[in-house]
Amino acid sequence: MSTPRRSLPPLNALRAFEVAGRQLNFRAASEELGVSQGAVAQQVRLLEDHLGISLFKRMPRGVALTPQGANYLSEMTRAFDTLCKATAQLHDRADAVTISVTPTFATKILIPQLSELKLALPWVELRTIATESVSDFDRDQVDIAVRQTRPPFAASQEAQLLFRHDLVLVASPHLLGNDKRPLTREQISRLPLLHDAQNHWPKFFGSVGTLPGAVFNQTTLALDAALAGQGVAIACRALMQADLDAARLVEICPAGFSAGSDFYLVRKRSPHPRNSVDAVWSWALDHWAVG
């Protein structure tokens, strides 16, 4: 005996309803689908006629879901997510999550823990953008960002503090030799200084002039030079914690002033976040947040 064919509404109508329901705006839905606003409205009306149920309340300024529409939307979103996951598995492709971080964060924290992340989340393909500039979530297609910033945050963004930007002076123990710490400013001034784009040294010494020393465009390069015994760097303690714990670097003294910003994990708010993004977000908070 043959199995009866499933009686389904038109798939284009279901897709239009799912997007319009998430956006609660036919114009925004038309932009996501790449069709006209009238086409979205027509497909939604076709679905309502097929079901014999009103899914939206039409109001003077926009639309709202009916109770039946809200329940149906929840199921449709789950169904489309399942289709996307099945298609990715069919092509044997991991679910990609793009994270934007600073080069120093990438070098000192993210890269050393990549194998641990892969072991915990084997189905996730992590794509990393390492840049000093602030990535745009939409333009750069970024899912999660680690940003050196401070509140307030946009209402469209979710943010969690990872760690404070606690500045300290560090150097290789081979450079310092038997000098007892903390060193005085006069002692530090006689050591080679390593400068980066943050330019903290004038503030540390209370100087307005140019100070001698090698100059790097990224903090991670200044820290590499410090590890090689080339001089003293100023940077965030949390970014150097592994090197401090392993005694590859030693803390000379606190910088004595605030950087004016801290490190936050940030992402766009979404009513239906992808499971892979949620998984990376939770893993990052568990492994990177201090305190």
Side-chain angles (χ1 to χ4, degrees):
M1 182 176 179
S2 62
T3 302
R5 175 171 288 185
R6 293 184 178 93
S7 177
L8 290 174
L11 290 180
N12 283 341
L14 287 173
R15 181 60 174 153
F17 163 68
E18 195 275 334
V19 176
R22 277 193 289 107
Q23 299 279 9
L24 284 180
N25 185 294
F26 283 9
R27 181 186 57 77
S30 72
E31 292 175 357
E32 180 173 333
L33 293 170
V35 300
S36 69
Q37 184 173 338
V40 173
Q42 183 180 17
Q43 288 294 328
V44 170
R45 178 64 69 185
L46 177 65
L47 179 60
E48 291 178 320
D49 291 344
H50 180 94
L51 298 173
I53 294 172
S54 293
L55 300 172
F56 288 99
K57 297 176 184 177
R58 274 74 172 177
M59 299 180 292
R61 295 185 178 179
V63 294
L65 289 163
T66 64
Q68 296 97 325
N71 291 333
Y72 198 48
L73 174 65
S74 176
E75 295 300 327
M76 285 304 99
T77 299
R78 187 176 296 113
F80 278 109
D81 285 346
T82 299
L83 286 172
C84 290
K85 184 177 180 180
T87 303
Q89 291 174 342
L90 179 66
H91 290 89
D92 193 27
R93 186 178 71 242
D95 196 357
V97 174
T98 300
I99 185 168
S100 172
V101 298
T102 66
T104 306
F105 191 98
T107 301
K108 295 300 182 182
I109 293 182
L110 176 58
I111 292 175
Q113 296 185 25
L114 273 180
S115 59
E116 188 176 351
L117 187 153
K118 188 63 178 176
L119 185 64
L121 309 175
W123 69 90
V124 173
E125 177 186 294
L126 191 69
R127 298 175 180 174
T128 303
I129 298 174
T131 176
E132 296 287 1
S133 62
V134 177
S135 296
D136 183 274
F137 286 102
D138 294 320
R139 183 194 64 226
D140 302 320
Q141 297 184 317
V142 169
D143 298 301
I144 299 173
V146 174
R147 290 182 174 169
Q148 181 183 329
T149 184
R150 59 184 176 184
F153 296 92
S156 61
Q157 296 178 355
E158 178 183 0
Q160 293 285 340
L161 176 67
L162 289 179
F163 47 81
R164 300 294 180 189
H165 197 171
D166 185 13
L167 292 171
V168 295
L169 278 63
V170 295
S172 165
H174 303 295
L175 177 71
L176 299 179
N178 296 323
D179 289 346
K180 293 183 179 181
R181 298 182 302 276
L183 304 182
T184 65
R185 273 177 170 71
E186 183 180 351
Q187 290 174 305
I188 294 169
S189 68
R190 293 197 293 266
L191 295 172
L193 306 180
L194 302 172
H195 303 263
D196 61 20
Q198 305 299 320
N199 196 29
H200 292 307
W201 284 116
K203 191 169 185 178
F204 178 78
F205 285 112
S207 169
V208 294
T210 301
L211 296 169
V215 179
F216 303 91
N217 69 330
Q218 294 180 0
T219 301
T220 186
L221 299 177
L223 291 178
D224 285 345
L227 284 164
Q230 300 300 312
V232 183
I234 301 181
C236 175
R237 178 186 279 111
L239 294 176
M240 302 176 291
Q241 196 59 57
D243 291 319
L244 292 170
D245 291 343
R248 293 186 292 266
L249 290 174
V250 293
E251 180 178 336
I252 297 175
C253 66
F257 55 87
S258 171
S261 60
D262 297 307
F263 284 81
Y264 287 84
L265 198 65
V266 187
R267 64 175 172 176
K268 283 187 67 175
R269 295 188 185 275
S270 171
H272 304 289
R274 289 158 48 209
N275 291 338
S276 54
V277 175
D278 269 349
V280 174
W281 177 268
S282 297
W283 187 93
L285 288 176
D286 288 342
H287 289 75
W288 297 342
V290 177

